[in-house]
Amino acid sequence: MVLWGVIWGAVLGFFLEGHDHEAGFMLGALLGAWAGWGLRKAVRREVELQAQRLAVPMVRLPDPVAEQAPQDEAVPTIPMPLDTPASATAQAAPSEPEIPVVSEPLPPAKPSLAEQWIAGVRGWLLGGNTIVRMGVLVLFIGLAFLAKYAADHALLPPELRLAVVGLVGCALLVAGWRLRLAQERALYALTLQGAGVAVLYLTVFASFRLYPFLTAGTAFALMAVVCALSTAIALLQNAQTMAFVGFAGAFAAPLLVSTGQGDHVGLFSYYLLLGAAIAAVAWMRAWRALNLLGFFATFGVASLWGVLKYNPALFDSTEPFLLGFFTLYLGATLAYATRHSLHPRQAVDGTLVFGLPIVTMALQAQLVRDIPYAMALSSLALGALYLALGWWAALRRGDEQTLGVGRWLAECFAALGLGFVTLAVPLALDGHWTSAVWAAEGAAVYWMGQRQGRWLARLAGLALQPLAALSYLGSLGRLSDAQWPLANPGFVGAVWLAASALALAYWMRTDAATPATMPDATLQDGPPHRIRVWQEQFQKFEQILSPVLFWVGFMWWQFGCWQEIEHWIADSAHQARLVMLVWLGSTWVALRAARLAQEGEWSVAATPVRWSL
């Protein structure tokens, strides 16, 4: 497979237009080799899994004759000539019964996202009454082509053509509504109702686009009425599919009837009303698909409009809508998570929880790109909002399931809040203050992850430390702007770097420093034994890193003091004495800290004393 991948990748790369042929040849060969290697590895893994499932291990039972023989009496053996074939030896030996023991089959592999989508489409088309569903699809497509064919060939008056199509939609809707009470025909009834709603959308669209019977505003309003009707029917029957079809048509309505001359205020006002309707539905029903439809449709159209039409003069008429969209879908996210007694894994929708603030901040960056410090203030405000939401979620009371949802929301919101506060620092401050905030935040994230037994959170806290150090080192040379000794960004940044590194070294000094109050296995996908292996490996890494971080923190403190002494003291002899005094005082404090700790827990803190001589 690797060889075939190299050959086909090289051929495709060689004939790729717009690039150098030799470079395309080499790059295609490398990519083909990588793809072939991955395919071969996947095939071998699948073969091994199938072999393990089909393997039948044999268990040998003890010989009953040997068990009945006395222990002090040897069992006689039959002498065999040296040239006796192996088959004869096997026949002469007493046979031992063997029974197969079927091993427990391995759990099936989790399907990929593409496989899930394909399975969902196949289930919709082939599940339930397949003939009815295919017939509805054929009917809808046939009506669309009939309207277009009649218009092209002038078979009937335009009013009559549209009236016939609209009456078919109303008939489907009424028939489906009347059949809803029959339990055995419930799915059939919903299918007919969905087809009726789709045909009504088709009629309104044709009345506007193919004929000048309706103005854009009238067609817009009629599609909104159809959406409201389908949503009401869906709520009465608890039918998510009906609501999805209705809102899909409502979101598509402005695009279908648009003439390219519309005002963005009207478009966003309409989407704001749809968002309010989705938030209200989220309060009453746990329909995740509807929330995702509104989120992707609203922010997708807003992003497209922003790329094509936005300019800074439209800021005052655009910013309120962005804040309104964010507020509505944040409310829908909270309602979906807290109103319907869902399991925490299902209640906390990661797509909306994390996608909403990220997309909002990306759009906000485009709106305020010409305003100084606006992005820093926006990031700080969003971080404060999510930290407040995390505090609210952590204080929620209720049964065990409610507490679980609150805990998950609190952790997600706290991570988002800290992330946006972190982002605000480099947008508004210089490198010294940025390093101070990042170092302190990394220590706080590590401490939270340690209390909850989350190795990924602890790793994230550690990862912020080198970023903070690089930010500090990148801003060196600005100490000449300091107005006060000690009370300046250079010294404060070094102190925070030192304090964070020393705190991390102290927290990870022993195995007992990482109690698993909330195992990662409850929060992550995958077999628990794999997660435990990662936890054990990370704990070993922490034990190795603890003395290193102690010396890093100790030297950051020395560096900050040396930098202050060199800047504010001109006499080199006085500088040397003060540096020596700071070193000796620091080693004495570290030695006291080592003695105050339990026996042997932080012996590395006593090592600077050895260098004092």
Side-chain angles (χ1 to χ4, degrees), residues 50-96:
Q50 293 296 333
Q52 292 177 7
R53 293 191 181 99
L54 298 177
V56 182
M58 308 301 293
V59 177
R60 187 176 300 276
L61 294 180
D63 188 359
V65 179
E67 289 183 354
Q68 295 175 4
Q71 295 182 359
D72 57 347
E73 182 179 347
V75 178
T77 59
I78 301 175
M80 301 296 294
L82 294 177
D83 56 350
T84 303
S87 59
T89 306
Q91 293 176 3
S95 61
E96 297 180 356

Coordinates of all heavy atoms in Angstrom, one line a residue, residues 50-96:
Q50 N -10.3 -8.4 14.1 CA -11.2 -9.5 13.7 C -10.6 -10.8 14.2 O -11.3 -11.7 14.6 CB -11.3 -9.5 12.2 CG -12.1 -8.3 11.6 CD -13.5 -8.3 12.1 OE1 -14.1 -9.3 12.3 NE2 -14.1 -7.1 12.2
A51 N -9.2 -10.9 14.1 CA -8.6 -12.2 14.6 C -8.8 -12.4 16.1 O -9.1 -13.5 16.5 CB -7.1 -12.1 14.3
Q52 N -8.8 -11.3 16.8 CA -9.1 -11.4 18.3 C -10.5 -11.8 18.5 O -10.8 -12.6 19.5 CB -8.7 -10.1 19.0 CG -7.2 -9.8 19.0 CD -7.0 -8.4 19.6 OE1 -7.9 -7.8 20.2 NE2 -5.7 -8.0 19.5
R53 N -11.4 -11.3 17.7 CA -12.8 -11.7 18.0 C -13.1 -13.1 17.6 O -13.9 -13.8 18.2 CB -13.7 -10.8 17.1 CG -13.8 -9.3 17.5 CD -14.9 -8.6 16.8 NE -14.9 -7.2 17.2 CZ -14.4 -6.2 16.4 NH1 -13.8 -6.5 15.3 NH2 -14.4 -4.9 16.8
L54 N -12.4 -13.6 16.6 CA -12.6 -15.0 16.2 C -11.7 -16.0 16.9 O -11.9 -17.2 16.7 CB -12.3 -15.1 14.6 CG -13.3 -14.3 13.8 CD1 -12.9 -14.4 12.3 CD2 -14.7 -14.7 13.9
A55 N -10.8 -15.5 17.7 CA -9.9 -16.5 18.4 C -10.6 -17.3 19.4 O -11.5 -16.8 20.1 CB -8.7 -15.7 19.0
V56 N -10.4 -18.6 19.5 CA -11.0 -19.5 20.4 C -9.9 -20.2 21.2 O -9.4 -21.2 20.7 CB -11.9 -20.5 19.7 CG1 -12.6 -21.4 20.7 CG2 -13.0 -19.8 18.9
P57 N -9.5 -19.7 22.3 CA -8.4 -20.4 23.1 C -8.9 -21.7 23.6 O -10.0 -21.9 24.0 CB -8.2 -19.4 24.2 CG -9.4 -18.6 24.4 CD -10.0 -18.5 23.0
M58 N -7.9 -22.7 23.7 CA -8.2 -24.0 24.1 C -7.7 -24.1 25.6 O -6.6 -23.7 25.9 CB -7.5 -25.0 23.3 CG -7.8 -24.9 21.8 SD -9.5 -25.0 21.4 CE -9.8 -26.7 21.7
V59 N -8.5 -24.7 26.4 CA -8.1 -25.0 27.8 C -8.0 -26.5 28.0 O -8.9 -27.2 27.8 CB -9.2 -24.4 28.8 CG1 -8.9 -24.7 30.2 CG2 -9.3 -22.9 28.6
R60 N -6.8 -26.9 28.5 CA -6.5 -28.3 28.7 C -7.0 -28.7 30.1 O -6.7 -28.1 31.1 CB -5.1 -28.6 28.6 CG -4.7 -30.0 28.6 CD -3.2 -30.2 28.4 NE -2.8 -29.7 27.1 CZ -2.8 -30.3 25.9 NH1 -3.3 -31.6 25.9 NH2 -2.5 -29.8 24.8
L61 N -7.9 -29.8 30.1 CA -8.4 -30.3 31.4 C -7.4 -31.3 32.0 O -6.7 -32.0 31.2 CB -9.7 -31.0 31.1 CG -10.9 -30.1 30.7 CD1 -12.1 -30.9 30.5 CD2 -11.1 -29.0 31.7
P62 N -7.4 -31.5 33.3 CA -6.5 -32.4 33.9 C -6.9 -33.9 33.5 O -8.1 -34.1 33.3 CB -6.7 -32.1 35.4 CG -8.0 -31.5 35.5 CD -8.1 -30.7 34.2
D63 N -5.9 -34.8 33.5 CA -6.2 -36.2 33.2 C -6.8 -36.9 34.4 O -6.2 -36.9 35.5 CB -4.9 -36.9 32.8 CG -5.1 -38.3 32.3 OD1 -6.3 -38.7 32.2 OD2 -4.1 -38.9 31.9
P64 N -8.0 -37.4 34.2 CA -8.7 -38.1 35.4 C -7.9 -39.3 35.8 O -7.9 -39.7 37.0 CB -10.1 -38.4 34.9 CG -9.9 -38.5 33.4 CD -8.9 -37.5 33.0
V65 N -7.2 -40.0 34.9 CA -6.4 -41.2 35.3 C -5.2 -40.8 36.2 O -4.9 -41.4 37.2 CB -5.9 -42.0 34.0 CG1 -5.1 -43.2 34.4 CG2 -7.1 -42.4 33.2
A66 N -4.6 -39.7 35.8 CA -3.5 -39.3 36.6 C -3.9 -38.8 38.0 O -3.2 -39.0 39.0 CB -2.7 -38.1 35.9
E67 N -5.1 -38.2 38.1 CA -5.6 -37.8 39.4 C -5.9 -39.0 40.3 O -5.8 -38.9 41.5 CB -6.8 -36.9 39.2 CG -6.5 -35.5 38.6 CD -7.8 -34.7 38.5 OE1 -8.9 -35.2 38.8 OE2 -7.7 -33.5 38.2
Q68 N -6.4 -40.1 39.7 CA -6.8 -41.2 40.5 C -5.6 -42.0 40.9 O -5.6 -42.8 41.9 CB -7.7 -42.2 39.7 CG -9.1 -41.5 39.4 CD -9.9 -42.4 38.5 OE1 -9.5 -43.5 38.2 NE2 -11.1 -41.8 38.1
A69 N -4.4 -41.9 40.3 CA -3.2 -42.7 40.6 C -2.7 -42.1 42.0 O -2.7 -40.9 42.2 CB -2.2 -42.5 39.6
P70 N -2.1 -43.0 42.8 CA -1.5 -42.6 44.1 C -0.4 -41.7 43.8 O 0.3 -41.8 42.8 CB -1.1 -43.9 44.7 CG -1.9 -45.0 44.0 CD -2.1 -44.5 42.7
Q71 N -0.1 -40.8 44.7 CA 0.9 -39.8 44.6 C 2.3 -40.5 44.6 O 3.2 -40.0 43.9 CB 0.8 -38.7 45.7 CG -0.4 -37.9 45.5 CD -0.5 -36.8 46.6 OE1 0.5 -36.7 47.4 NE2 -1.5 -36.0 46.6
D72 N 2.5 -41.6 45.4 CA 3.8 -42.2 45.5 C 4.0 -43.3 44.4 O 5.0 -43.9 44.4 CB 3.9 -42.8 46.9 CG 2.8 -43.8 47.2 OD1 1.8 -43.8 46.4 OD2 3.0 -44.6 48.1
E73 N 3.0 -43.4 43.5 CA 3.1 -44.5 42.5 C 3.3 -43.8 41.1 O 2.5 -42.9 40.7 CB 1.9 -45.3 42.5 CG 1.9 -46.4 41.4 CD 0.7 -47.3 41.4 OE1 -0.1 -47.1 42.4 OE2 0.4 -48.0 40.5
A74 N 4.4 -44.1 40.5 CA 4.6 -43.5 39.2 C 3.7 -44.0 38.1 O 3.5 -45.2 38.1 CB 6.1 -43.7 38.8
V75 N 3.3 -43.2 37.2 CA 2.5 -43.6 36.1 C 3.4 -44.3 35.1 O 4.4 -43.7 34.7 CB 1.7 -42.4 35.5 CG1 0.9 -42.9 34.3 CG2 0.9 -41.8 36.6
P76 N 3.1 -45.5 34.7 CA 4.0 -46.2 33.7 C 3.9 -45.5 32.4 O 2.9 -45.0 31.9 CB 3.4 -47.6 33.6 CG 2.0 -47.4 34.0 CD 1.9 -46.3 35.0
T77 N 5.1 -45.5 31.7 CA 5.2 -44.9 30.4 C 5.5 -46.0 29.4 O 6.0 -47.1 29.7 CB 6.3 -43.9 30.4 OG1 7.5 -44.6 30.7 CG2 6.1 -42.7 31.4
I78 N 5.1 -45.7 28.2 CA 5.2 -46.7 27.1 C 6.5 -46.4 26.3 O 6.6 -45.3 25.8 CB 4.0 -46.7 26.2 CG1 2.7 -47.0 27.0 CG2 4.2 -47.7 25.0 CD1 1.5 -46.9 26.2
P79 N 7.5 -47.3 26.3 CA 8.7 -46.9 25.5 C 8.4 -46.9 24.0 O 7.7 -47.8 23.5 CB 9.6 -48.1 25.9 CG 8.8 -49.2 26.3 CD 7.6 -48.6 26.9
M80 N 9.0 -46.0 23.3 CA 8.7 -45.8 21.9 C 10.1 -45.9 21.2 O 11.1 -45.3 21.7 CB 8.0 -44.5 21.6 CG 6.7 -44.4 22.2 SD 5.5 -45.6 21.7 CE 5.3 -45.1 20.0
P81 N 10.2 -46.6 20.1 CA 11.5 -46.6 19.4 C 11.8 -45.2 18.8 O 10.9 -44.3 18.7 CB 11.2 -47.6 18.2 CG 9.7 -47.6 18.1 CD 9.2 -47.4 19.5
L82 N 13.1 -45.0 18.6 CA 13.6 -43.7 18.2 C 13.0 -43.3 16.8 O 12.8 -42.1 16.5 CB 15.1 -43.6 18.2 CG 15.7 -43.8 19.6 CD1 17.3 -43.8 19.4 CD2 15.3 -42.7 20.5
D83 N 12.8 -44.3 15.9 CA 12.4 -43.9 14.6 C 10.8 -43.9 14.5 O 10.3 -44.0 13.4 CB 13.0 -44.9 13.6 CG 12.6 -46.4 14.0 OD1 12.0 -46.6 15.1 OD2 12.9 -47.3 13.1
T84 N 10.1 -43.9 15.6 CA 8.7 -43.9 15.5 C 8.2 -42.5 15.1 O 8.7 -41.5 15.6 CB 8.1 -44.1 16.9 OG1 8.6 -45.4 17.4 CG2 6.6 -44.2 16.9
P85 N 7.3 -42.5 14.1 CA 6.9 -41.1 13.6 C 6.1 -40.4 14.7 O 5.5 -41.0 15.6 CB 6.0 -41.5 12.4 CG 5.6 -42.9 12.6 CD 6.7 -43.6 13.3
A86 N 6.0 -39.1 14.5 CA 5.3 -38.2 15.5 C 3.8 -38.6 15.6 O 3.2 -38.5 16.6 CB 5.5 -36.8 15.2
S87 N 3.2 -39.0 14.4 CA 1.8 -39.3 14.5 C 1.5 -40.5 15.3 O 0.6 -40.6 16.0 CB 1.3 -39.5 13.0 OG 2.0 -40.5 12.4
A88 N 2.4 -41.5 15.2 CA 2.2 -42.7 16.1 C 2.4 -42.3 17.5 O 1.7 -42.8 18.4 CB 3.2 -43.7 15.6
T89 N 3.3 -41.5 17.8 CA 3.5 -41.1 19.2 C 2.3 -40.4 19.8 O 1.8 -40.6 20.9 CB 4.7 -40.1 19.3 OG1 5.9 -40.8 18.8 CG2 5.0 -39.8 20.8
A90 N 1.7 -39.5 18.9 CA 0.5 -38.9 19.4 C -0.7 -39.8 19.6 O -1.5 -39.6 20.5 CB 0.1 -37.8 18.3
Q91 N -0.7 -40.9 18.7 CA -1.8 -41.8 18.9 C -1.6 -42.7 20.1 O -2.5 -43.1 20.8 CB -1.9 -42.7 17.7 CG -2.4 -41.9 16.4 CD -2.4 -42.8 15.2 OE1 -2.1 -44.0 15.3 NE2 -2.7 -42.2 14.0
A92 N -0.3 -43.0 20.4 CA 0.0 -43.8 21.6 C -0.3 -43.1 22.9 O -0.6 -43.7 23.9 CB 1.4 -44.4 21.5
A93 N 0.0 -41.8 22.9 CA -0.2 -41.1 24.1 C -1.7 -41.0 24.5 O -2.5 -40.9 23.6 CB 0.4 -39.7 24.0
P94 N -2.0 -41.0 25.8 CA -3.4 -40.8 26.2 C -3.9 -39.5 25.8 O -3.3 -38.4 26.0 CB -3.4 -41.0 27.7 CG -2.0 -40.7 28.1 CD -1.1 -41.1 26.9
S95 N -5.1 -39.5 25.2 CA -5.7 -38.2 24.7 C -6.3 -37.5 25.9 O -6.8 -38.1 26.9 CB -6.8 -38.5 23.7 OG -7.8 -39.3 24.3
E96 N -6.2 -36.2 25.8 CA -6.7 -35.3 26.9 C -7.8 -34.5 26.3 O -7.7 -33.9 25.2 CB -5.6 -34.3 27.4 CG -4.4 -35.1 28.1 CD -3.4 -34.1 28.6 OE1 -3.5 -32.9 28.3 OE2 -2.4 -34.6 29.2

